[in-house]
Amino acid sequence: MAKIKPNIMITGTPGVGKTSHCELLVLITGLQHLSINQLVKDRELHDGWDEEYQSWIVDDDKLLDSIEDEVKQGGYIIDWHACDLFPRSWIDLVVVLRTNSTKLYDRLRARQYPEQKLQENLDSEIMQVVLEEARESFDEDIIVELQSNDVEDITSNVDRIKIWMENWTRDHVAITAL
């Protein structure tokens, strides 16, 4: 059965605004929000808690098995800081959010990240780690890099993604009807 709604991956270094984008997109597109961080907690898709990083240790296999049936149907916005785990066939658009290092530092400091975790995430953003992971994992034509420094960026990005979704839906519904 062909999907009638796309799956959109919203990814980027922690603190770039993934969840803010996803929450707005859910409101205007009707897609469902799959917050991987929340699923890992709620469905116990982890191998325990990492005290040093103050985060769950995700069990990749459990995670993929848990969401496979849902995601294959389409209609999801997947919110996570990594994208290289997901099969290419599941994802129709990969949005890599980027932000200014100073703004990112302030956001992570406000979250009270431990210093090592804060520095590693800053380094990751500066070195474009998530963008490179996306480029290694997905076809270039489904990857878009967007800035997420302020509310205006979020609004503009959400509008752009909404237009992309409308075009995807129009094109795929037309193909399905043939």
Side-chain angles (χ1 to χ4, degrees):
M1 180 173 80
K3 292 187 291 192
I4 59 170
K5 292 183 180 179
N7 287 320
I8 300 171
M9 166 69 67
I10 306 291
T11 190
T13 306
V16 297
K18 295 179 297 295
T19 301
S20 296
H21 279 76
C22 290
E23 289 171 351
L24 279 173
L25 283 164
V26 164
L27 291 174
I28 66 167
T29 66
L31 297 179
Q32 295 182 60
H33 184 192
L34 270 184
S35 169
I36 300 302
N37 285 334
Q38 194 62 49
L39 286 176
V40 167
K41 286 185 267 190
D42 293 349
R43 298 182 186 178
E44 299 183 9
L45 308 173
H46 55 80
D47 292 325
W49 181 256
D50 184 316
E51 279 300 325
E52 181 180 2
Y53 287 95
Q54 298 293 296
S55 63
W56 295 106
I57 302 166
V58 178
D59 182 320
D60 295 347
D61 293 329
K62 282 183 187 175
L63 171 62
L64 292 176
D65 289 346
S66 175
I67 66 172
E68 181 175 10
D69 291 339
E70 294 166 270
V71 173
K72 282 185 172 181
Q73 295 175 29
Y76 289 92
I77 300 169
I78 301 169
D79 172 358
W80 206 31
H81 62 270
C83 61
D84 55 343
L85 164 69
F86 299 93
R88 289 179 184 215
S89 62
W90 290 12
I91 309 298
D92 300 294
L93 178 68
V94 178
V95 177
V96 181
L97 297 175
R98 305 291 313 281
T99 198
N100 170 289
S101 298
T102 303
K103 290 184 184 296
L104 182 60
Y105 177 87
D106 292 342
R107 292 173 187 174
L108 297 179
R109 178 62 73 201
R111 293 181 179 184
Q112 300 179 336
Y113 271 34
E115 189 61 31
Q116 183 175 347
K117 185 176 179 179
L118 188 148
Q119 287 302 319
E120 287 182 13
N121 281 303
L122 279 174
D123 291 346
S124 177
E125 181 64 13
I126 291 166
M127 301 300 291
Q128 304 183 59
V129 171
V130 178
L131 180 61
E132 290 306 315
E133 285 177 357
R135 289 177 175 156
E136 291 170 6
S137 302
F138 296 94
D139 296 333
E140 190 73 31
D141 63 334
I142 70 163
I143 301 168
V144 62
E145 175 186 4
L146 299 175
Q147 289 300 307
S148 178
N149 292 311
D150 51 38
V151 174
E152 290 80 18
D153 286 345
I154 294 173
T155 302
S156 173
N157 294 343
V158 166
D159 288 344
R160 185 172 172 183
I161 295 166
K162 179 182 177 243
I163 291 167
W164 175 90
M165 185 188 151
E166 290 167 350
N167 290 333
W168 185 95
T169 302
R170 182 194 65 232
D171 294 347
H172 285 76
V173 169
I175 290 169
T176 304
L178 294 177

